[in-house]
Amino acid sequence: MSTTADAKQQQPPRRIGHVLEGIDMKTLTPEGAEKVREAVLKYSVVVLPKQDLEEEDMARIAELFGAPVDLPSEMAFGHQAKSQPRVTVVSNMRPDGTIIPNNKAAEYWHQDGNFWVAPREYVMNFLYSVIVPEEGGDTGFADTVLALQQMDPELRKELEGLQIEVDARKIPDFSSLKEDDERFPVALHSIIFNHDESGIESLYPGNGNVTIKGKTKEESRDIIGRVLAHLDREPYVYYHKWTKGDLVLWDNKTCMHRSMGGYGNHPRKLFRTQCFHHPNLRTQS
Ligand SMILES: O=C(O)CCC(=O)C(=O)O
Ligand SMILES: [Fe+2]
């Protein structure tokens, strides 16, 4: 008779959420960054604990991995660090320190940057914990690589050749973008693709905010809903419980993420930077 323990042992080990100890990101060299990049390509989500970073460090680290992303403030929760507008402050605290009551942001599976036209959707994120709430506030990650490998072949067949159409103006967290804003044309991305750097096959499914080219809104919802239902379970998900000083790096092309919420009105604050990390877009420094 097989037991739950046997079943657990038979599951492949979780791929995402790899911990790299003993690396000081404040003094990281370009050579050190190459090692970390390799880990991000391999594990999609990498945790670097015990960092001591300021806003300036966050901006510099992003530059070591690619071309830094400058987001308009409408796409940065309206809260960018004063000294470094490239640093988005992900927080339920206003710049004056007061709490935004019952704040909810990013509490749904998504990939940052899917509104950029290819290959700019190759966005790497750097998220650093400054204030950890007394309860809740985890960040969830879902492994789009392993989930594709273990997908029902029928569903996979249905997804072959399909592309998502992403319109930044339809993303609720960017609701202050104007309808006639021309900076963000609709972006098209294949749902099943091979990563341009690692060659790894992965899923890029979007969510309820996007449509599938050639399908109605309802058909898109149905297909994407089934992909997300497959993804949102063991062994594909990893919930990161933050400790102050954690820096988490991830490749938005090979995982999804979301805020798990649940922090009520307890202060929560993270710094976020991003870079375009497609090989064609990296700055030569
Ligand atoms: O607040 C979180 O846990 C995640 C926020 C998020 O989606 C992001 O920083 O891109
Ligand atoms: Fe996000």
Side-chain angles (χ1 to χ4, degrees):
M1 195 178 80
S2 76
T3 63
T4 314
D6 290 338
K8 276 221 166 105
Q9 268 180 5
Q10 282 157 17
Q11 276 182 0
R14 185 164 42 74
R15 197 183 63 86
I16 58 173
H18 183 74
V19 181
L20 278 181
E21 301 271 3
I23 296 181
D24 180 3
M25 294 295 279
K26 206 181 184 78
T27 56
L28 191 71
T29 59
E31 295 71 40
E34 278 313 307
K35 292 230 162 68
V36 179
R37 180 203 309 285
E38 277 168 29
V40 176
L41 289 176
K42 183 162 180 201
Y43 300 106
S44 298
V45 184
V46 169
V47 180
L48 294 124
K50 300 193 185 76
Q51 306 297 323
D52 181 12
L53 305 174
E54 307 291 338
E55 295 160 8
E56 296 69 34
D57 301 312
M58 292 296 291
R60 180 183 160 270
I61 291 166
E63 283 170 26
L64 280 171
F65 288 82
V69 176
D70 286 311
L71 284 175
S73 92
E74 301 99 304
M75 294 175 138
F77 306 111
H79 193 169
Q80 286 152 314
K82 273 204 199 77
S83 68
Q84 287 288 343
R86 263 181 200 159
V87 177
T88 296
V89 182
V90 178
S91 182
N92 59 347
M93 295 158 81
R94 300 186 184 92
D96 68 3
T98 55
I99 294 283
I100 305 165
N102 307 313
N103 182 59
K104 275 192 194 297
E107 292 186 19
Y108 58 93
W109 292 112
H110 64 280
Q111 283 130 323
D112 282 8
N114 63 358
F115 51 84
W116 294 107
V117 170
R120 288 182 178 254
E121 86 283 18
Y122 278 77
V123 168
M124 192 180 290
N125 269 42
F126 306 81
L127 192 60
Y128 175 69
S129 172
V130 182
I131 299 175
V132 181
E134 274 170 38
E135 56 182 57
D138 298 357
T139 301
F141 294 93
D143 186 341
T144 51
V145 175
L146 195 59
L148 177 58
Q149 284 168 11
Q150 299 181 354
M151 179 173 268
D152 169 7
E154 286 296 312
L155 178 54
R156 186 191 161 114
K157 217 155 101 203
E158 217 178 319
L159 299 178
E160 297 279 0
L162 294 185
Q163 291 181 305
I164 52 167
E165 294 177 312
V166 191
D167 181 345
R169 285 156 290 259
K170 300 211 170 109
I171 299 176
D173 280 334
F174 308 150
S175 56
S176 54
L177 276 181
K178 301 231 165 39
E179 266 307 312
D180 59 359
D181 191 324
E182 285 173 358
R183 290 171 296 181
F184 298 98
V186 171
L188 270 179
H189 306 291
S190 295
I191 295 184
I192 296 180
F193 73 99
N194 287 305
H195 195 281
D196 280 354
E197 188 157 27
S198 64
I200 291 171
E201 194 178 48
S202 184
L203 283 165
Y204 200 67
N207 48 34
N209 303 329
V210 313
T211 46
I212 296 174
K213 190 172 178 206
K215 304 272 181 199
T216 64
K217 223 173 173 177
E218 289 66 35
E219 289 166 339
S220 304
R221 265 230 172 124
D222 168 60
I223 296 170
I224 296 168
R226 281 184 282 131
V227 175
L228 295 184
H230 167 62
L231 258 176
D232 189 0
R233 61 200 175 100
E234 291 286 354
Y236 314 126
V237 285
Y238 163 63
Y239 301 107
H240 186 67
K241 192 155 198 51
W242 293 97
T243 296
K244 184 175 156 55
D246 286 348
L247 176 68
V248 178
L249 270 64
W250 70 89
D251 179 359
N252 283 286
K253 279 297 264 187
T254 54
C255 66
M256 297 189 87
H257 67 281
R258 56 165 293 172
S259 162
M260 300 311 295
Y263 45 86
N265 291 323
H266 298 289
R268 177 181 193 252
K269 182 168 165 179
L270 303 118
F271 288 152
R272 186 188 73 195
T273 44
Q274 297 172 320
C275 71
F276 298 119
H277 73 103
H278 189 278
N280 296 350
L281 296 172
R282 278 186 220 144
T283 47
Q284 303 297 317
S285 50

